[in-house]
Amino acid sequence: MKNQVLSSDLSGLDRRKFIINSIKSAAGLALLSLSPAFSKENNWSVKKQWTVQEVMDFVLKEGGLTPLKDTVDTIKIGKADQVVTGIISTMFPTISIIEEAVKRNANFIITHEPSFYNHNDKSDWVKNNAVLKQKQELLEKHKMVIWRFHDYCHSLKPDAVSYGVAKKANWLPYFKTGEVMLKIPPVSLQKLVEHLKKSLAISHLRIIGDLDQNCERIALLPGAWGGPMQVSTAEKEKPDVLIVGELSEWETAEYIRDARSFGQKISLIVLGHAVSEEPGMEWFAEWLQPKLPDVKITHLASGDPFIWI
């Protein structure tokens, strides 16, 4: 063929240069036929829109959760087919949380606890509840959707609340999925209280016990496990300290007081319900955000409803 150079006509050094140049040319032609993946239509540059129902289904799928027939984890207000503009995770959907969600253009609140002051969010729990009606009107005005994430939250492996609290308290090295007992390095009750106040950002804690007592075996029960579970855990596990979210003062508190009178070295720390489970919803937001990069997910702490004077 005219002007064609054969490699057999070249010297050894020239032959090697010829082969290298030929390979580069071929590779260059191949590259010209390709386009970068991110330039293709409907790829990373295009964000997916999610409906409330799609997000709910996605959470269950990613969490390996089986849909529950009997659960309080239902939509409390709003429509399942509404397009999500942003997600807020929180413990309680307080008025300030709702107002902040509006400011952030987030129309989907995922809350751990009830919206309307009773476990099943029954609107007729108290007849003619003016506060409940005002709250509903505020939510409807801003087309807000609320989904309760309680039973499913505790069904995650690990339990999102227990894991979130252990993570925030820097106790993950001692935490085991499915277990309430943690064995931490020995510390006085005084130091333990100070650590929890600082790490969980709690201003005041209630305790029963000796501040000089040595604490190593911890029973961690954030939230409201109820008197029978709290007392049975104390009986079975014999912890140095029982850490709870809230309790009935005439149940667990009196049990601990009598146990100490009989010589048992057991103390009690009451964190408060909202602040004790908040780290779980905070961790839930951290877990979900990378899985839904197209949706802005923000955790807002509903905070302690009490002030101390």
Side-chain angles (χ1 to χ4, degrees):
M1 185 180 292
K2 188 176 181 180
N3 296 328
Q4 184 179 23
V5 179
L6 300 177
S7 62
S8 58
D9 296 334
L10 303 173
S11 63
L13 179 60
D14 291 336
R15 186 182 300 115
R16 285 195 293 274
K17 289 181 179 179
F18 174 83
I19 293 171
I20 291 172
N21 289 332
S22 297
I23 293 174
K24 287 182 178 179
S25 297
L29 289 172
L31 287 172
L32 288 174
S33 66
L34 299 177
S35 60
F38 57 78
S39 71
K40 293 181 180 179
E41 193 175 356
N42 296 325
N43 208 285
W44 294 109
S45 60
V46 179
K47 291 188 176 183
K48 172 178 171 51
Q49 285 189 323
W50 293 78
T51 65
V52 168
Q53 187 64 56
E54 287 174 334
V55 171
M56 292 165 57
D57 293 342
F58 183 80
V59 168
L60 267 59
K61 178 178 178 293
E62 288 296 301
L65 300 168
T66 301
L68 300 172
K69 292 182 180 180
D70 185 17
T71 179
V72 295
D73 291 5
T74 58
I75 292 176
K76 304 306 176 183
I77 196 166
K79 298 180 179 179
D81 61 356
Q82 180 166 298
V83 173
V84 175
T85 59
I87 297 174
I88 300 296
S89 76
T90 191
M91 264 293 289
F92 288 92
T94 65
I95 303 306
S96 60
I97 293 292
I98 296 168
E99 291 173 343
E100 184 62 28
V102 172
K103 291 179 183 178
R104 294 171 180 262
N105 191 35
N107 63 358
F108 186 21
I109 299 176
I110 301 178
T111 178
H112 187 65
E113 295 295 14
S115 303
F116 305 127
Y117 326 121
N118 65 93
H119 186 57
N120 293 306
D121 282 298
K122 292 183 177 179
S123 58
D124 60 351
W125 179 62
V126 171
K127 300 295 183 182
N128 302 317
N129 190 329
V131 173
L132 184 149
K133 186 176 181 180
Q134 283 182 284
K135 190 172 188 177
Q136 290 176 325
E137 290 173 349
L138 176 64
L139 290 163
E140 290 168 353
K141 174 184 176 182
H142 296 289
K143 294 182 172 54
M144 201 72 66
V145 180
I146 293 181
W147 176 41
R148 188 171 179 193
F149 188 64
H150 180 273
D151 299 346
Y152 289 125
C153 183
H154 289 300
S155 298
L156 289 170
K157 296 291 186 287
D159 177 306
V161 170
S162 295
Y163 183 88
V165 174
K167 180 176 182 290
K168 199 147 191 176
N170 296 314
W171 286 346
L172 284 184
Y174 322 112
F175 175 83
K176 294 182 180 178
T177 299
E179 297 185 14
V180 299
M181 293 300 299
L182 291 77
K183 187 175 181 181
I184 65 172
V187 63
S188 70
L189 180 61
Q190 174 75 54
K191 293 294 184 182
L192 179 58
V193 168
E194 292 172 359
H195 171 71
L196 289 171
K197 288 174 66 176
K198 183 177 180 180
S199 61
L200 302 183
I202 302 175
S203 59
H204 292 81
L205 298 179
R206 292 196 296 167
I207 69 166
I208 297 176
D210 178 359
L211 291 176
D212 294 326
Q213 177 193 327
N214 186 67
C215 300
E216 188 174 4
R217 286 175 45 77
I218 307 297
L220 183 62
L221 282 72
W225 289 60
M229 181 61 74
Q230 292 167 348
V231 172
S232 63
T233 298
E235 282 286 310
K236 177 183 177 182
E237 302 293 348
K238 305 297 182 186
D240 298 320
V241 60
L242 183 68
I243 302 176
V244 304
E246 71 170 59
L247 48 70
S248 294
E249 294 184 19
W250 48 274
E251 295 178 339
T252 306
E254 290 306 314
Y255 165 84
I256 295 293
R257 178 153 64 173
D258 284 351
R260 292 185 57 78
S261 294
F262 283 126
Q264 290 190 33
K265 295 185 182 299
I266 183 172
S267 294
L268 173 71
I269 298 177
V270 183
L271 303 174
H273 191 125
V275 291
S276 77
E277 292 195 286
E278 195 79 68
M281 292 306 289
E282 182 177 0
W283 179 70
F284 168 70
E286 295 173 0
W287 171 81
L288 185 59
Q289 181 64 90
K291 301 175 185 295
L292 288 178
D294 301 331
V295 181
K296 176 63 176 177
I297 302 172
T298 306
H299 174 74
L300 297 177
S302 55
D304 192 336
F306 300 98
I307 58 173
W308 302 82
I309 58 174

